[in-house]
Amino acid sequence: MKAAPMSAQSCDSSVPTVDPSVRFKRVLLKMSGEVLMGDREYGIDPATIDRIAADVKQAIELGVQVCVVVGAGNIFRGVSGAENGLERVTGDYIGMLGTVMNALALQSAFEKVGVPTRVQSAIPMQAVCEPFIRRRALRHMEKGRVVIFAAGSGNPFFTTDTPAALRATEMGCDALFKGTKVDGVYSADPHKDPSATHYDTLSYMDVLTKDLKVMDATAISLARENHIPIVVFSVLEAGNFAKVVRGEGKFTIVTDQ
Ligand code: UDP
């Protein structure tokens, strides 16, 4: 059963009204760390995060409530650390700390364009950001603030896909938006295979049985169990996020059907 959100449409005057064109009123945006790199080999490209911030602002102005989970593949992944002899759990904690760095950079970019933003970390770090508190996060979102969930789940042996599905469920989101470098899910890699076909819709079972690499299997199962649609879209195309929250443009939606 889907977690009951605090009112998406409350009578509280501090809650922004939602534009009637909006299809998904409360969304969790999941981005991998690689998306933040732009054309760089490592780290964060300021122009890319500024552009993502401008896109998120457009959605906020439509009254959409937005929370974000960001990965850290642009900085560190526990698995690669383990391949180089680092203890896996330590590597995973370094990866989680990497997500906090990305979250702080995104917060700065969002606030530069006038979107109030709070970072909440699954590993408490009180000098840097808030701890994860679900009801406080919901209230921030209702007030039009973006909440960035950092440090993944706070536990090793996960990627950030699973906490993205977990937070989307906890926050009562209408959809989990997976922002990627391509405009949806294809039958093969469209950069390598010109005959690859785009899927407009898929079922959770299709994704799992065809091993379509939308998100990791734990995240897909969690979304399936809680009936949270997964929307795969290109976050690199300027203005696309606001389009897709209205159900327009090109994307793939993964649902029960
Ligand atoms: N991580 C973890 N637990 C979590 C989320 C992340 O241990 O709940 C660690 C893990 O080492 C992972 C790294 O943080 O590789 C970065 O996350 P992810 O690989 O999901 O980054 P992305 O591929 O999305 O950029």
Side-chain angles (χ1 to χ4, degrees):
M1 202 169 72
K2 200 164 163 178
M6 284 191 196
S7 57
Q9 286 288 294
S10 132
C11 52
D12 183 337
S13 61
S14 66
V15 178
T17 48
V18 186
D19 190 278
S21 67
V22 166
R23 173 167 167 195
F24 303 102
K25 296 186 176 80
R26 180 182 285 167
V27 302
L28 185 140
L29 171 62
K30 161 77 208 302
M31 290 179 286
S32 68
E34 272 177 29
V35 160
L36 312 187
M37 287 196 305
D39 293 331
R40 294 172 185 231
E41 303 268 295
Y42 178 82
I44 299 165
D45 176 43
T48 300
I49 59 169
D50 286 352
R51 216 258 314 126
I52 291 170
D55 281 6
V56 169
K57 183 179 184 177
Q58 289 178 353
I60 294 282
E61 284 171 349
L62 291 170
V64 178
Q65 295 181 17
V66 181
C67 52
V68 177
V69 166
V70 65
N74 56 328
I75 299 172
F76 196 88
R77 283 199 183 101
V79 173
S80 358
E83 280 161 10
N84 293 310
L86 193 71
E87 189 206 359
R88 170 68 193 268
V89 174
T90 303
D92 281 339
Y93 278 113
I94 297 173
M96 286 185 260
L97 295 179
T99 71
V100 180
M101 291 193 233
N102 282 334
L104 294 176
L106 279 175
Q107 179 183 39
S108 166
F110 288 173
E111 298 213 316
K112 206 157 67 177
V113 293
V115 176
T117 304
R118 300 291 184 268
V119 175
Q120 291 200 347
S121 173
I123 299 174
M125 249 177 258
Q126 63 183 21
V128 175
C129 56
E130 295 179 9
F132 171 65
I133 300 173
R134 174 177 170 265
R135 294 181 70 89
R136 186 186 276 187
L138 286 165
R139 192 71 190 121
H140 285 321
M141 285 164 68
E142 287 185 342
K143 287 181 175 171
R145 297 174 186 151
V146 170
V147 182
I148 307 176
F149 299 115
S153 64
N155 298 296
F157 302 106
F158 287 100
T159 71
T160 46
D161 280 352
T162 302
L166 175 68
R167 297 289 184 241
T169 308
E170 284 178 288
M171 294 301 123
C173 289
D174 299 318
L176 164 47
F177 272 49
K178 167 95 177 175
T180 69
K181 294 178 176 178
V182 282
D183 54 13
V185 185
Y186 284 79
S187 54
D189 183 345
H191 295 305
K192 292 182 191 153
D193 182 352
S195 68
T197 50
H198 180 271
Y199 296 108
D200 292 339
T201 57
L202 281 169
S203 71
Y204 302 108
M205 281 317 280
D206 285 338
V207 173
L208 291 170
T209 54
K210 293 182 185 156
D211 195 18
L212 286 172
K213 312 272 181 247
V214 174
M215 299 183 89
D216 67 31
T218 321
I220 302 287
S221 303
L222 199 55
R224 176 174 177 237
E225 213 168 284
N226 293 289
H227 312 289
I228 310 264
I230 301 173
V231 176
V232 185
F233 76 108
S234 167
V235 76
L236 294 188
E237 204 182 301
N240 208 26
F241 183 50
K243 240 198 249 172
V244 181
V245 292
R246 292 195 300 253
E248 294 165 6
K250 202 169 174 186
F251 57 87
T252 299
I253 184 160
V254 183
T255 60
D256 289 317
Q257 271 82 53

